[in-house]
Amino acid sequence: LLENDSVLEDSFFRQSRIHTIFSEFPEAMKMALKSLEYNKLNNNLSKVQRDMSYIGYINDRMYEFKASIDWNRKSLVIAKQLKDTMAMAYCFGRIGIAYDELAEKDDFNPKLFDSALYYNNKAAKYAELTGNLGYARTTYSNIGNSFSKLKNYKKAEEYTLKSLAIPGFEESKGVTLVNLGKIYLETGRYNEAKKILDSAMQNTIKYGTRKYQLEAFYRLHELDVKKN
């Protein structure tokens, strides 16, 4: 590799992201590791940090949650050195998501959920400091989902509504609306559940988010069963 080749500088990372979009995770990991090697060679600390965090993200998508935490912890050290607030937010959020998944796998382990909530709250705080409301919105939704898994529906509703209250990002709100509908369903508020799940269905149809459209349909079916 030519150390000053600007064409190559981000090509590995771009290829990794494309493979990730298509769920081709082994290929995505291969390209991300090449990107990391290249940026280490060129002493580009900012992109080394980015690559480490993204490798953690790919591990999460491959259900390697402990590896995801390890990579994002390493990335977080560099993000703090760089004083990059948004990079720190991404690391905190990715660690939080991994802990949430580990908690669910470990029979809904409350201590692991505490870790998930701790890191996701830090992610939301740091995202807001940078003005990145999109990531704050996503993180509040994740926090609400963790509380829902813990059956703390009061807190789940609080954070889910907080996520939905952030203006814009309508194309991303389908899953959050489904989560809110589930909360209302689990707490016996069937009329509110119907209204929110209908809204979720309309949103997912409009923006083509088929995965969450199917989930909204399932929750509507679940609502019919509970009411009858």
Side-chain angles (χ1 to χ4, degrees), residues 167-205:
F169 312 103
E170 295 303 316
E171 71 282 359
S172 303
K173 287 185 174 178
V175 60
T176 310
L177 288 166
V178 171
N179 289 342
L180 183 60
K182 182 184 177 184
I183 292 165
Y184 291 150
L185 192 62
E186 294 296 332
T187 52
R189 290 176 282 175
Y190 298 143
N191 290 337
E192 290 170 276
K194 178 70 164 62
K195 180 180 176 181
I196 291 297
L197 289 170
D198 282 343
S199 178
M201 183 66 78
Q202 291 168 17
N203 177 282
T204 55
I205 290 170

Side-chain angles (χ1 to χ4, degrees), residues 100-147:
D100 181 273
E101 296 286 359
L102 285 173
E104 191 169 354
K105 281 183 67 179
D106 190 20
D107 198 26
F108 294 88
N109 185 313
K111 288 186 178 180
L112 292 174
F113 271 124
D114 282 347
S115 293
L117 293 167
Y118 170 79
Y119 283 105
N120 276 323
N121 270 299
K122 286 184 79 74
K125 176 185 175 182
Y126 278 66
E128 286 191 335
L129 285 173
T130 69
N132 190 329
L133 296 182
Y135 196 65
R137 184 205 67 77
T138 299
T139 305
Y140 286 134
S141 182
N142 290 338
I143 293 169
N145 198 37
S146 290
F147 276 122

